Amino acid sequence: MDYLKIEGIESLKGTIKIAGAKNASLPLIAMTILAKNKLNITNLPDVVDIKTLLKLLSNLGAECEFNEHHVSVDTAKMHETRATYDIVKTMRASILVLGPTLARFGHCEVSLPGGCAIGQRPIDLHLKALEQMGAEIDIKAGYVETKAPNGLKGCEIIFDKITVTGTANIVMAAALAHGETILVNAAREPEVVQLCEILNASGVKIEGIGTSVLKIQGSCGELLDMPDFSIIPDRIEAGTYLCAGAITNSELTITDVEPKHLDAVIGKLEEMGFSFTITQDTITIYPAKEIKPVKVITQEYPAFPTDMQAQIMALATQANGTSIIEERLFENRFMHVSELQRMGADISLNGHIATVNGKTDLSGTDVMATDLRASSALVLAALIARGETNIHRIYHLDRGYDSLEKKLQNAGAKVDRLKE
Ligand code: UD1
């Protein structure tokens, strides 16, 4: 197994290029199940989660040719409809094949994803919505078995809670359904917006893109003629590197980004004393005279993302004063806290609120990655810790960060990938 050895440094400098968004790529790859043609997707991040989903699609009979940042997908010969446990257990987002596969074949079986490091993460809202669209659903021997022999029917669906993959799944199901689906309380994340835009460009009329009410005119079972497209930039990877600039109090430029997707993150970093130059697709962060504490509440887009909570907490350990970080989306997303504490951070937890007292001097030690974003918080802390930090179980990082150590090395960090 690989681990990262990171030596604490004074500062970073230079430019980091941001990859395509993992969380946009996953639904967009699943969406190809609705296509009648072969299509090319570019600007994919070279990360394990993408390979996992392409493997799942290949298992279902699709032809996928993946080459670093590009894939061509042809689902014409797809024949299987069962997403098996061996894949689903490694990546919960495998559930994204459910909506499009059920819509296209009239049945689909997906293994229940099982436990998850950051909390329960149920799929009840996906299933309830599909049932409203006429699907019959059974849970048998650890699998969700869904059937809609006469196709799915458009209807009004009100999500009890905003769910990102739930919205993506139902939008894809609705794209092939009979009649109009109205989705109320839909997610407004940029990744959902791109999915809707590509479906729109494939002939599916969708009103309300980017709002919480989506109206989708289904194609009555007709497969779609899909254009080639390029994935939007990864706003979480971008936010993570902005925090790398911030925690080392350096000037650092990130390129190939969509700055407006980062408004909430930049806003919080400004409150902490950092300043920025922003162009159409680059962001430069400048050092703060004094790093100030911050109050953060994670919420759905456009508010501050839960996927940046761990990183801003690592940064808050370097602020002069007490920061309050409230996690509203997931019930168990503070596993980085105990590892940051082991490095010397002063953090106390009360339910879903973390209080971070700064500034603390962090020391390098052995720490363990527990989930994708928790791992990146440990990388940030290690950048400024005294001495050497060894981060174990970095397969979590490899799920979502494209060439992390190379990008950091190019910006002056002392990072090595080693074997245990
Ligand atoms: C997606 C992102 C993930 C991000 C999360 C929240 C992908 C592949 N993953 O995850 O990186 O952290 O959005 O921004 O895009 N819920 C239910 N029932 C459901 C579905 C969700 O109760 O059927 C709850 C969840 O437990 C959670 C909340 O709704 O508390 C939001 O979850 P959701 O938006 O579905 O997260 P994901 O789509 O899994």
Side-chain angles (χ1 to χ4, degrees):
M1 222 187 290
D2 291 357
Y3 70 100
L4 286 184
K5 184 177 94 178
I6 302 183
E7 261 180 65
I9 44 151
E10 291 293 310
S11 62
L12 294 174
K13 63 173 182 317
T15 299
I16 293 180
K17 183 175 187 292
I18 301 305
K22 168 182 87 72
N23 285 355
S25 307
L26 294 171
L28 287 163
I29 290 171
M31 180 198 68
T32 62
I33 295 171
L34 303 173
K36 62 178 165 209
N37 55 306
K38 178 174 175 172
L39 65 134
N40 295 300
I41 309 177
T42 49
N43 201 35
L44 282 169
D46 189 4
V47 298
V48 171
D49 271 9
I50 300 302
K51 290 172 191 152
T52 304
L53 185 59
L54 290 172
K55 184 166 171 222
L56 172 54
L57 246 63
S58 301
N59 288 355
L60 299 179
E63 287 171 5
C64 308
E65 284 169 44
F66 181 57
N67 179 6
E68 278 194 0
H69 299 288
H70 165 268
V71 70
S72 73
V73 188
D74 188 352
T75 59
K77 295 198 190 110
M78 190 174 148
H79 50 89
E80 283 291 332
T81 58
R82 193 172 177 85
T84 50
Y85 180 66
D86 54 323
I87 292 208
V88 180
K89 73 166 193 250
T90 65
M91 192 184 69
R92 299 180 54 81
S94 309
I95 192 69
L96 283 164
V97 301
L98 174 60
T101 306
L102 173 64
R104 172 165 165 185
F105 293 97
H107 59 99
C108 176
E109 306 77 41
V110 180
S111 168
L112 283 168
C116 165
I118 63 172
Q120 265 205 336
R121 298 186 88 172
I123 53 163
D124 57 316
L125 301 173
H126 304 228
L127 301 184
K128 192 174 148 201
L130 290 172
E131 257 174 343
Q132 281 181 266
M133 297 176 79
E136 293 165 26
I137 298 181
D138 271 328
I139 312 279
K140 276 193 202 154
Y143 278 75
V144 183
E145 299 195 347
T146 60
K147 267 189 263 167
N150 301 318
L152 294 166
K153 289 176 191 55
C155 63
E156 185 179 56
I157 295 161
I158 303 176
F159 275 136
D160 294 340
K161 237 183 178 181
I162 299 175
T163 159
V164 177
T165 47
T167 301
N169 236 337
I170 301 311
V171 166
M172 289 188 278
L176 246 58
H178 297 265
E180 182 180 74
T181 302
I182 302 176
L183 200 50
V184 181
N185 208 21
R188 292 182 287 158
E189 269 64 6
E191 296 76 19
V192 172
V193 169
Q194 187 174 28
L195 173 73
C196 291
E197 281 171 350
I198 305 295
L199 284 170
N200 219 325
S202 312
V204 180
K205 191 172 160 220
I206 305 184
E207 281 173 49
I209 296 179
T211 75
S212 56
V213 179
L214 296 171
K215 288 188 187 171
I216 306 138
Q217 302 293 339
S219 73
C220 301
E222 175 107 5
L223 290 179
L224 310 175
D225 198 357
M226 261 175 213
D228 293 342
F229 60 87
S230 174
I231 301 288
I232 57 169
D234 195 315
R235 64 195 166 97
I236 305 302
E237 190 200 17
T240 303
Y241 289 122
L242 288 180
C243 284
I247 202 166
T248 54
N249 214 10
S250 311
E251 178 180 328
L252 189 70
T253 299
I254 55 171
T255 67
D256 300 74
V257 282
E258 178 52 83
K260 72 172 184 294
H261 294 166
L262 283 143
D263 281 352
V265 173
I266 290 172
K268 285 295 158 192
L269 293 175
E270 278 173 343
E271 280 177 36
M272 295 180 88
F274 299 96
S275 51
F276 294 88
T277 304
I278 298 173
T279 70
Q280 202 187 341
D281 62 355
T282 70
I283 305 173
T284 301
I285 181 166
Y286 300 101
K289 284 198 190 78
E290 185 204 355
I291 305 182
K292 290 182 244 166
V294 72
K295 279 200 175 120
V296 174
I297 299 176
T298 66
Q299 272 169 302
E300 295 85 2
Y301 188 85
F304 192 89
T306 174
D307 286 351
M308 283 298 302
Q309 178 255 105
Q311 298 90 316
I312 200 131
M313 190 180 302
L315 173 58
T317 66
Q318 300 309 299
N320 291 306
T322 299
S323 298
I324 307 285
I325 299 175
E326 185 173 343
E327 172 58 54
R328 290 253 179 108
L329 287 179
F330 293 108
E331 80 266 25
N332 188 23
R333 205 173 198 180
F334 279 143
M335 277 158 325
H336 41 286
V337 169
S338 54
E339 299 302 288
L340 290 172
Q341 283 166 335
R342 293 184 57 248
M343 296 177 77
D346 178 355
I347 305 172
S348 55
L349 282 182
N350 184 2
H352 46 88
I353 298 178
T355 304
V356 187
N357 292 311
K359 173 188 180 194
T360 43
D361 287 330
L362 303 181
S363 311
T365 182
D366 285 279
V367 289
M368 205 154 67
T370 46
D371 73 45
L372 174 55
R373 306 305 170 183
S375 321
S376 58
L378 300 179
V379 171
L380 296 178
L383 286 176
I384 47 133
R386 201 171 340 105
E388 197 176 282
T389 305
N390 295 309
I391 307 180
H392 303 274
R393 299 200 181 170
I394 55 163
Y395 53 83
H396 290 291
L397 276 172
D398 294 336
R399 284 189 39 218
Y401 286 93
D402 184 334
S403 315
L404 175 105
E405 68 269 20
K406 285 198 197 91
K407 291 186 186 188
L408 284 172
Q409 279 160 1
N410 289 343
K414 293 187 182 156
V415 187
D416 284 310
R417 179 182 285 258
L418 299 165
K419 295 263 177 235
E420 299 277 6

